[in-house]
Amino acid sequence: MISETILVTGACGQLGTEIVTELRKRYGSSSVIATDVVRPTHQGLLDGPFELLDITNQAQLVALLSKYRVTQLYHLAAILSAKGEQDPKLAWHVNFTGYIAVLDAAVAYGKIAKLYFPSSIAVFGNDTPKQNTPQQTVTDANTVYGISKFAGERFSAYYYKHHGLDIRSLRYPGIISHSTMPGGGTTDYAVHIYHEAVLKGRYTSFLSADTYLPMMYMPDALKATFALMDAEAIQITERGSYNLGAMSFCPEDVAKAIRVHIPEFEIDYAPDSRQQIADTWPQSIDDSVARADWGWKPDYDLSAMTADMLHHVRERYLVTV
Ligand SMILES: NC(=O)c1ccc[n+]([C@@H]2O[C@H](COP(=O)([O-])OP(=O)(O)OC[C@H]3O[C@@H](n4cnc5c(N)ncnc54)[C@H](O)[C@@H]3O)[C@@H](O)[C@H]2O)c1
């Protein structure tokens, strides 16, 4: 086993729970320090060290990095897109001011070999090409979440250049998973729909039937994250954030994929404020730079993901078929 000590911020979230579980399989439970502003409840987080940490508290983070002799940092803590619009100042404070605190803590501590910072398709906006959105293009983000992520991308490149911090980053599309529920993003419908399909046989979507967005199943998000973090530094040509794609679908497509397994499934549509956010985002992503640099290739399409999601969601609610 490779000797690394890894600290994860925002560990109790949708991605954090799965990233910590995977890191603990790879490096051993005691070598992965989970941190968050809330205490963990998920079983996967209870088998190793946990510390309460608000990422805007730079001094506390430096103290934790020294206490555990941390070598890698996964900075996942954030306020997501839809939740961020309810309190834009809090979203900026956590997502941007908090990220600067993390970067300065890493510089002050001086022994972080690699730092992971997830960005998002939310960095794109109305004037970004919607199909096959290129790596380098217009980034006219419309939400405080997207603005803070784009500022974070540029600060990642800046700290790489001026402080030599090996920061790596992916622009995740909407992430679909069954272990934990999503934390207030615009793509959350694509998780909720599977739970409601199993529990109620019907779902009311907060995005319209034909709203296409780039999406990814959690195993592919984990695969991409670890492929990027395992790559040699020389392979990384993008020090802002890599475009990352897997599939693109709309709510009606998901409904059709679910009906293959649950023929009586019904969907209706009641778009809310999240529709306006979705309308500014790309529909599909050109991730050719990630593919060329470190061999990115997704495994799941909509039908493979749907079969797996329904299997696990049924298991969770103990529904037999
Ligand atoms: N889930 C997605 O679809 C998606 C897509 C693109 C990017 N991302 C990015 O991936 C990362 C993880 O996302 P997620 O879906 O797990 O989010 P989530 O909302 O599920 O989890 C975020 C976690 O951060 C914690 N947090 C909030 N404020 C904090 C603070 N001040 N200090 C410490 N912790 C704090 C929350 O308690 C929560 O556990 C985020 O940076 C997010 O922007 C996620």
Side-chain angles (χ1 to χ4, degrees):
M1 201 172 278
I2 315 154
S3 175
E4 297 281 356
T5 304
I6 303 174
L7 186 140
V8 180
T9 73
C12 297
Q14 186 193 8
L15 271 144
T17 304
E18 308 240 10
I19 284 179
V20 167
T21 304
E22 190 55 37
L23 285 170
R24 285 184 172 159
K25 276 189 213 150
R26 291 172 141 225
Y27 297 102
S29 292
S30 60
S31 299
V32 181
I33 324 305
T35 73
D36 204 298
V37 273
V38 296
R39 290 208 171 273
T41 50
H42 196 277
Q43 197 56 37
L45 292 179
L46 300 175
D47 69 341
F50 176 83
E51 298 271 1
L52 273 179
L53 170 72
D54 181 330
I55 46 121
T56 58
N57 186 340
Q58 190 183 324
Q60 196 199 346
L61 177 53
V62 175
L64 287 178
L65 296 175
S66 300
K67 175 180 168 187
Y68 289 101
R69 299 184 184 178
V70 173
T71 58
Q72 290 189 28
L73 188 48
Y74 282 63
H75 172 50
L76 308 179
I79 307 290
L80 268 59
S81 56
K83 213 169 150 189
E85 291 308 283
Q86 289 160 18
D87 192 342
K89 285 191 180 138
L90 176 71
W92 180 256
H93 181 64
V94 173
N95 297 359
F96 183 69
T97 312
Y99 185 40
I100 298 299
V102 167
L103 291 173
D104 285 339
V107 170
Y109 166 67
K111 291 175 195 140
I112 293 296
K114 290 181 204 171
L115 194 157
Y116 180 65
F117 169 70
S119 184
S120 162
I121 53 166
V123 299
F124 301 120
N126 282 320
D127 290 326
T128 307
K130 294 231 177 297
Q131 304 295 339
N132 286 321
T133 302
Q135 176 69 46
Q136 303 296 348
T137 186
V138 177
T139 43
D140 54 343
N142 280 285
T143 56
V144 172
Y145 174 72
I147 296 167
S148 65
K149 285 290 178 185
F150 187 62
E153 289 186 7
R154 297 323 307 153
F155 267 76
S156 299
Y158 188 88
Y159 272 65
Y160 170 69
K161 186 172 173 197
H162 293 285
H163 299 283
L165 265 185
D166 185 352
I167 305 166
R168 301 168 182 211
S169 177
L170 297 171
R171 287 171 175 156
Y172 289 133
I175 308 292
I176 295 117
S177 67
H178 54 80
S179 287
T180 50
M181 295 306 274
T186 303
T187 54
D188 290 7
Y189 90 84
V191 176
H192 297 154
I193 193 170
Y194 290 104
H195 289 263
E196 301 282 297
V198 167
L199 290 173
K200 300 181 188 157
R202 56 163 299 105
Y203 179 66
T204 300
S205 171
F206 61 75
L207 296 184
S208 66
D210 58 352
T211 304
Y212 278 88
L213 288 170
M215 299 281 193
M216 178 173 284
Y217 196 28
M218 181 63 86
D220 275 334
L222 296 175
K223 180 182 169 181
T225 306
F226 294 118
L228 176 70
M229 291 303 277
D230 289 343
E232 297 297 329
I234 197 166
Q235 291 173 264
I236 315 289
T237 64
E238 174 53 58
R239 288 293 177 176
S241 189
Y242 279 99
N243 274 9
L244 188 72
M247 53 183 130
S248 176
F249 56 73
C250 63
E252 192 59 31
D253 291 341
V254 191
K256 280 187 195 139
I258 289 174
R259 279 190 205 110
V260 171
H261 305 269
I262 307 173
E264 63 282 10
F265 176 69
E266 283 175 28
I267 188 165
D268 60 4
Y269 299 93
D272 65 16
S273 59
R274 289 167 281 193
Q275 183 70 48
Q276 276 110 58
I277 300 177
D279 287 343
T280 69
W281 286 0
Q283 297 184 351
S284 62
I285 297 291
D286 173 357
D287 58 5
S288 52
V289 181
R291 287 173 188 253
D293 281 4
W294 40 273
W296 165 239
K297 191 169 171 290
D299 292 329
Y300 284 86
D301 61 12
L302 177 58
S303 77
M305 176 181 81
T306 298
D308 201 58
M309 275 296 284
L310 288 174
H311 168 76
H312 286 287
V313 172
R314 279 170 166 150
E315 216 171 46
R316 177 182 173 133
Y317 299 117
L318 299 173
V319 178
T320 45
V321 274

